[in-house]
Amino acid sequence: MTYDPIAFLERVAGDVARDGSDAVAERVSREELRAFTLAIDAIEPFSDLASRWLVGPRGSGRVGAGIAGLWAWRCLLDGATPDTILQQAAEEIANNRYEAWEIRPITGITIGGKIKIAPNAYLCRDADISRGGYYAAAFAEELFEPFGPCDMASLVQIFIVEPALIPMDADRAVPKIETARRAREAFAARHRLAMGLVSGGPVEMPVVYGRGHRMNQLIHYDDGLFRQPVTPYFGRSLEVEILPLQLTADLIERMDRGDVLSLTIDRLLRSRLSKTVEDRIIDLGMAAEIALMHVAKGGGDGKGEITNKISHRAAWLLGADVDERARIAKVASDLYAARSIVVHTGSAPQKYVQAISEYDQLIVDVAMALLERGHFPDWKTLTLGG
């Protein structure tokens, strides 16, 4: 049976006003809804949506056909009139844009409430996130602490998807949307590293998904659940201080050859998730080598005795006087010695195990010192007292 979709809208709106949405929802059959969905796609303004591709927040999408019927049905049950439904649909399709959220749950940190960290970016608690879309899968308890996400943080970036509708035969890799997605990913990567430096704990963003901000919109799309291959974290989440976080993230963005230092910080954070102390020492040793053996001209500096170079460079980079430089040089030398022993024997002597926190702090201090400079130094000049 074929329905006049406008007549269906008018009849159901009247029934809802008289009998209530629950009673109407029970009376209307699946077959009638299916027929209505097919019919409404054939009339304006819905036919324009049905003939185009709806772009998702992260660049995927779907055919527009079949969306309008379910949306209009929900609007009817919420008490909307046919005129309101048609007007909203026409406006949204003409605007060809919608506001979206990109959501990344974060392991390792906790916050007290919703905090703005950039013009369109927030750290939010689980309680601030809408339960719709991919929420249940993204916040699955096995990814996080034993008692679930509770007070953990998420990074939420708010943005506009535009164009939201494109011709079916168009290239679906919309450059504007792809460029914006890469910028959001870079923002998230910087802030993950900054959170790790500031909080002192492991920080990961194991899942990301996109969703329309307002679920009563016609034009919106919930966009894939993307998992990163990371180690699940079952430890204690640490409070992160927002001002140091923002300052550190800005320094990472401005750092010359920030890609190199990002590898250092990434190794530091991954070391905090290591299952064995030996793995942690290897990661910390790699972090030290990446940061302290890189030369400003862009190549590596692998010549000569690495332990001496690492210890001397760390000492002159961080130490303010002879005694402090001697202490730092010993910590750096011990770290690299521990790394070599673990690589060659598979186990770490107890004296190195007990110094793990010192090695971790050394990498934090080196990373922050380089970030504050904004570039890698001329190591030869630095180690001669320049």
Side-chain angles (χ1 to χ4, degrees), residues 106 108-112 125 145 149-153 237-240:
I106 308 170
I109 69 163
T110 183
I111 55 173
R125 297 170 301 172
E145 298 177 353
C150 304
D151 61 348
M152 69 175 289
S237 294
L238 302 174
E239 194 83 26
V240 64

Side-chain angles (χ1 to χ4, degrees), residues 315-351:
W316 281 97
L317 180 68
L318 302 175
D321 55 43
V322 173
D323 290 341
E324 190 177 8
R325 286 195 288 272
R327 181 190 64 79
I328 292 167
K330 185 176 188 312
V331 173
S333 179
D334 285 352
L335 169 57
Y336 206 73
R339 175 191 180 277
S340 298
I341 290 172
V342 169
V343 167
H344 289 100
T345 69
S347 63
Q350 191 60 28
K351 70 172 185 176

Side-chain angles (χ1 to χ4, degrees), residues 195-206:
M195 288 173 200
L197 287 175
V198 170
S199 71
V203 177
E204 292 285 2
M205 298 180 182

Side-chain angles (χ1 to χ4, degrees), residues 43-362:
I43 67 168
E44 292 291 346
F46 303 104
S47 58
D48 196 20
L49 167 62
S51 64
R52 292 198 275 175
W53 181 263
L54 174 58
V55 179
R58 290 182 51 80
S60 65
R62 59 158 291 176
V63 174
I67 293 175
L70 180 59
W71 171 79
W73 170 245
R74 288 172 175 165
C75 290
L76 287 170
L77 295 181
D78 286 340
T81 65
D83 286 345
T84 300
I85 291 170
L86 291 169
Q87 180 180 355
Q88 181 179 338
E91 289 175 355
E92 288 192 30
I93 293 170
N95 288 338
N96 198 15
R97 66 204 298 266
Y98 66 92
E99 186 175 277
W101 285 23
E102 189 169 76
I103 301 168
R104 289 177 168 83
I106 308 170
T107 62
I109 69 163
T110 183
I111 55 173
K114 185 176 179 180
I115 302 166
K116 186 175 184 178
I117 60 172
N120 294 302
Y122 297 82
L123 291 181
C124 299
R125 297 170 301 172
D126 178 48
D128 300 318
I129 306 296
S130 169
R131 299 300 192 264
Y134 289 90
Y135 171 86
F139 287 82
E141 289 189 6
E142 63 268 19
L143 288 173
F144 306 110
E145 298 177 353
F147 300 105
C150 304
D151 61 348
M152 69 175 289
S154 293
L155 173 63
V156 175
Q157 297 184 73
I158 302 174
F159 57 99
I160 300 297
V161 178
E162 185 179 20
L165 298 169
I166 60 176
M168 289 294 296
D169 58 355
D171 183 355
R172 289 172 189 168
V174 182
K176 180 179 178 181
I177 291 175
E178 179 64 18
T179 298
R181 182 183 65 81
R182 287 198 297 267
R184 293 194 303 274
E185 289 177 347
F187 180 92
R190 288 195 303 274
H191 281 76
R192 170 185 162 257
L193 299 178
M195 288 173 200
L197 287 175
V198 170
S199 71
V203 177
E204 292 285 2
M205 298 180 182
V207 183
V208 58
Y209 68 101
R211 59 164 301 163
H213 177 40
R214 287 173 45 234
M215 298 310 291
N216 62 342
Q217 296 175 124
L218 169 62
I219 307 299
H220 79 274
Y221 187 66
D222 288 349
D223 185 69
L225 188 69
F226 300 89
R227 296 186 186 277
Q228 305 294 326
V230 299
T231 303
Y233 177 58
F234 298 99
R236 182 171 63 92
S237 294
L238 302 174
E239 194 83 26
V240 64
E241 296 183 42
I242 299 306
L243 182 57
L245 165 63
Q246 292 173 308
L247 293 174
T248 304
D250 288 344
L251 291 174
I252 292 172
E253 184 178 15
R254 295 199 297 266
M255 177 74 186
D256 182 47
R257 290 312 308 269
D259 55 336
V260 176
L261 192 57
S262 292
L263 285 175
T264 295
I265 305 170
D266 184 64
R267 278 291 164 186
L268 168 68
L269 303 194
R270 293 188 187 282
S271 77
R272 295 170 179 170
L273 288 167
S274 297
K275 294 181 179 179
T276 68
V277 69
E278 285 79 12
D279 285 341
R280 190 167 184 191
I281 285 173
I282 289 172
D283 278 329
L284 289 170
M286 291 176 64
E289 187 172 352
I290 292 167
L292 295 167
M293 294 301 290
H294 178 78
V295 295
K297 61 185 178 183
D301 183 5
K303 297 179 181 179
E305 215 279 307
I306 292 179
T307 303
N308 282 337
K309 285 186 175 180
I310 284 177
S311 59
H312 291 167
R313 290 174 181 184
W316 281 97
L317 180 68
L318 302 175
D321 55 43
V322 173
D323 290 341
E324 190 177 8
R325 286 195 288 272
R327 181 190 64 79
I328 292 167
K330 185 176 188 312
V331 173
S333 179
D334 285 352
L335 169 57
Y336 206 73
R339 175 191 180 277
S340 298
I341 290 172
V342 169
V343 167
H344 289 100
T345 69
S347 63
Q350 191 60 28
K351 70 172 185 176
Y352 297 129
V353 174
Q354 294 171 345
I356 280 289
S357 60
E358 281 188 278
Y359 303 152
D360 184 292
Q361 188 60 50
L362 173 71

Side-chain angles (χ1 to χ4, degrees), residues 23-51:
V24 173
E26 289 180 5
R27 280 204 304 263
V28 177
S29 67
R30 253 179 214 276
E31 291 71 22
E32 191 172 14
L33 279 176
R34 188 176 297 112
F36 167 65
T37 296
L38 292 173
I40 199 171
D41 275 348
I43 67 168
E44 292 291 346
F46 303 104
S47 58
D48 196 20
L49 167 62
S51 64

